[in-house]
């Protein structure tokens, strides 16, 4: 429990979390070879790559670290939100190229810390953004409003500083780079061909960094705790099974109102037609029928067989493509067809393709 309360890494996190970081970063616990790291940027041990000397820590923090290490604690998320990415510390960012560590000591780096007060990824992004402004000219003598503002802080070379901020960001792994954020963008990668969308089962994590702290147990229990690895891409020589799904309903309000799904399954060896009635617990509307059809299509094909599903309504595609992270964040409150949506997702996630 206490491990978790530490990992509420936002500004308002438990005071003792801040104290813990101060002790991790303190001179006593600083390994000799890291003595030259600017103490101002050592803010958050678990997010950053600086080290602490475990033998120099008080007993309780020793235990905390040992526990965090034994459960392989790290910051992990399928898709951290832009806000979370921006909230991380830029200096000694833990998910960056090792070259980031070499960028701490230049004149610009010093100015960024000293005068621009640069600490977070978000601040770096804002500074780097000035380079894109049409009113800005790429030299230190530029007099645009952004450069003038920087000069008011005492900066003598705003352009150099903005460029350095960009250089720092360029060291981040794509997953943690706020400029490559949004689910929408990564969704573009999923489109396998025109008119076909891969159902996006990834989750954007919103909230604070504490929400992306994950515990990875070692040993046989790991499967249930570790998010599934990236799905294999279909190889060009694998031809997917294609299923056309249609949902139908009887007239609403009739006593026997029920919905159902029709499937047209196209395999290399032939076409098969199937139809199913939607179990009552999943609802009796046509959308419920269509979602049930998707579920059946998944169940009818081998789990490692590439599968393309065509549904008849745009609403279902949009639901499965775009709305899931949102629904999951909101715990599906007030969502019709909640049960069948969750069921479909669970089965998509268990597939290899
Ligand atoms: Zn300028
Ligand atoms: Zn600006
Ligand atoms: Zn500067």
């Amino acid at each position: 429990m206490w491990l978790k309360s530490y990992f509420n890494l936002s500004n308002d996190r438990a005071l003792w979390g801040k104290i813990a970081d101060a002790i991790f970063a303190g001179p006593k616990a600083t390994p000799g070879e890291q003595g030259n790291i600017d103490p101002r940027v050592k803010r958050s041990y678990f997010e950053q790559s600086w080290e602490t000397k475990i033998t120099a820590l008080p007993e309780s923090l020793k235990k905390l670290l040992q526990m965090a290490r034994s459960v392989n604690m790290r910051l992990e998320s399928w898709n951290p939100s832009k806000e979370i990415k921006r909230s991380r510390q830029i200096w000694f960012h833990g998910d960056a190229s090792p070259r980031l560590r070499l960028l701490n000591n230049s004149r610009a780096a010093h100015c960024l810390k000293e005068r621009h007060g640069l600490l977070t990824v978000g601040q770096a992004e804002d500074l780097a953004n000035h380079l894109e402004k049409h009113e800005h000219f790429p030299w230190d003598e530029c007099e645009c409003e952004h450069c003038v503002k920087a000069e008011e802080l005492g900066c003598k070379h705003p352009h150099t500083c903005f460029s350095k901020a960009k250089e720092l960001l360029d060291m981040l792994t794509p997953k943690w780079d706020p400029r490559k954020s949004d689910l929408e963008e990564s969704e573009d990668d999923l489109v396998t061909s025109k008119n076909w969308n891969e159902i996006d089962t990834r989750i954007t994590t919103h909230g604070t960094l504490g929400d992306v702290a994950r515990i990875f147990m070692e040993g046989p229990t790991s499967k249930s705790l570790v998010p599934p690895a990236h799905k294999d891409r279909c190889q060009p020589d694998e031809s997917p099974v294609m299923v056309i799904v249609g949902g139908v309903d009887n007239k609403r309000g009739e006593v026997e109102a029920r919905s159902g799904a029709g499937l047209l399954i196209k395999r290399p060896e032939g076409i098969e037609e199937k139809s199913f009635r939607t179990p009552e617990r999943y609802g009796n509307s046509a959308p419920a029928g269509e979602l049930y059809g998707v579920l059946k299509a998944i169940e009818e094909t081998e789990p490692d067989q590439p599968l393309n599903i065509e549904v008849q309504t745009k609403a279902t595609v949009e639901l499965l493509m775009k709305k899931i992270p949102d629904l999951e964040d909101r715990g599906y409150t007030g969502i019709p067809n909640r049960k069948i949506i969750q069921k479909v997702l669970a089965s998509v996630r268990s597939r290899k393709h």
Side-chain angles (χ1 to χ4, degrees):
M1 287 309 283
W2 47 287
L3 196 58
K4 202 163 175 198
S5 83
Y6 174 85
F7 275 96
N8 193 7
L9 297 176
S10 59
N11 279 339
D12 55 346
R13 77 182 142 132
L15 178 65
W16 79 267
K18 289 182 186 168
I19 295 171
D21 267 326
I23 297 172
F24 290 147
K28 257 173 131 182
T30 300
E33 71 280 6
Q34 295 198 348
N36 59 347
I37 297 178
D38 188 336
R40 285 177 301 183
V41 303
K42 292 170 75 174
R43 314 271 299 191
S44 182
Y45 175 76
F46 287 95
E47 289 183 60
Q48 293 178 292
S49 63
W50 49 269
E51 276 146 42
T52 191
K53 210 157 55 183
I54 195 160
T55 51
L57 298 174
E59 208 52 37
S60 59
L61 291 184
K62 227 181 256 178
K63 275 197 195 134
L64 172 77
L65 270 201
Q66 278 159 351
M67 187 169 165
R69 282 176 192 174
S70 70
V71 299
N72 197 7
M73 172 71 90
R74 55 194 161 102
L75 296 174
E76 186 59 88
S77 159
W78 288 357
N79 192 359
S81 71
K82 192 174 166 81
E83 191 193 349
I84 288 178
K85 291 178 195 175
R86 283 175 56 90
S87 74
R88 282 190 69 171
Q89 302 292 315
I90 184 79
W91 307 104
F92 295 91
H93 194 293
D95 294 279
S97 152
R99 280 183 51 219
L100 178 71
R101 298 174 67 108
L102 305 175
L103 299 179
N104 284 292
N105 293 317
S106 64
R107 186 179 64 142
H110 178 75
C111 186
L112 284 169
K113 289 178 220 171
E114 182 73 29
R115 309 196 195 284
H116 304 257
L118 174 62
L119 288 173
T120 66
V121 169
Q123 287 173 299
E125 188 185 21
D126 294 343
L127 289 169
N129 274 342
H130 296 153
L131 297 170
E132 311 295 326
K133 299 278 152 76
H134 65 90
E135 65 270 28
H136 175 72
F137 288 93
W139 55 69
D140 284 334
E141 289 69 34
C142 172
E143 297 270 297
C144 83
E145 53 169 317
H146 314 291
C147 289
V148 168
K149 240 188 211 156
E151 277 158 15
E152 282 166 9
L153 298 171
C155 176
K156 301 254 185 312
H157 36 72
H159 179 75
T160 306
C161 283
F162 301 159
S163 306
K164 180 60 74 177
K166 179 178 180 296
E167 205 183 335
L168 294 168
L169 290 170
D170 290 343
M171 296 292 121
L172 301 181
T173 59
K175 188 177 180 174
W176 286 100
D177 186 339
R179 300 165 302 177
K180 308 190 175 85
S181 250
D182 307 331
L183 192 57
E184 290 80 13
E185 276 176 46
S186 32
E187 270 178 344
D188 288 341
D189 297 333
L190 291 177
V191 176
T192 43
S193 68
K194 218 180 165 203
N195 302 325
W196 283 100
N197 297 310
E198 188 173 340
I199 296 175
D200 192 357
T201 56
R202 288 169 307 171
I203 296 172
T204 304
T205 309
H206 296 282
T208 68
L209 267 178
D211 297 318
V212 297
R214 295 276 187 278
I215 296 174
F216 291 81
M217 294 288 199
E218 258 140 22
T221 54
S222 68
K223 280 207 176 75
S224 55
L225 287 160
V226 180
H230 284 295
K231 299 194 175 201
D232 294 346
R233 293 276 158 223
C234 296
Q235 299 302 312
D237 58 337
E238 288 178 287
S239 52
V241 167
M242 171 144 153
V243 184
I244 300 174
V245 175
V248 287
D249 61 358
N250 290 333
K251 279 180 197 131
R252 262 170 241 187
E254 283 182 15
V255 186
E256 296 213 5
R258 287 294 290 275
S259 69
L263 261 56
L264 204 59
I265 307 173
K266 293 187 193 170
R267 294 193 174 91
E269 59 272 21
I271 294 180
E272 192 186 356
E273 275 180 61
K274 291 205 166 184
S275 57
F276 301 93
R277 291 196 111 186
T278 318
E280 227 150 353
R281 63 181 181 282
Y282 292 139
N284 49 27
S285 64
E290 194 165 55
L291 285 162
Y292 188 65
V294 172
L295 180 66
K296 282 313 213 183
I298 294 167
E299 285 175 6
E300 291 286 313
T301 43
E302 292 295 308
D304 51 3
Q305 169 70 46
L307 170 65
N308 289 356
I309 299 175
E310 189 177 309
V311 294
Q312 305 304 303
T313 61
K314 218 177 154 206
T316 299
V317 175
E318 280 176 359
L319 176 78
L320 292 174
M321 288 296 300
K322 301 208 175 110
K323 297 195 180 147
I324 295 304
D326 208 38
L327 292 182
E328 295 201 319
D329 278 358
R330 285 160 44 199
Y332 291 92
T333 34
I335 302 298
N337 302 326
R338 167 171 53 89
K339 280 188 187 147
I340 181 67
I341 294 169
Q342 286 171 318
K343 190 90 195 198
V344 168
L345 271 185
S347 60
V348 173
R349 285 186 175 137
S350 67
R351 288 185 70 87
K352 227 178 123 208
H353 290 283

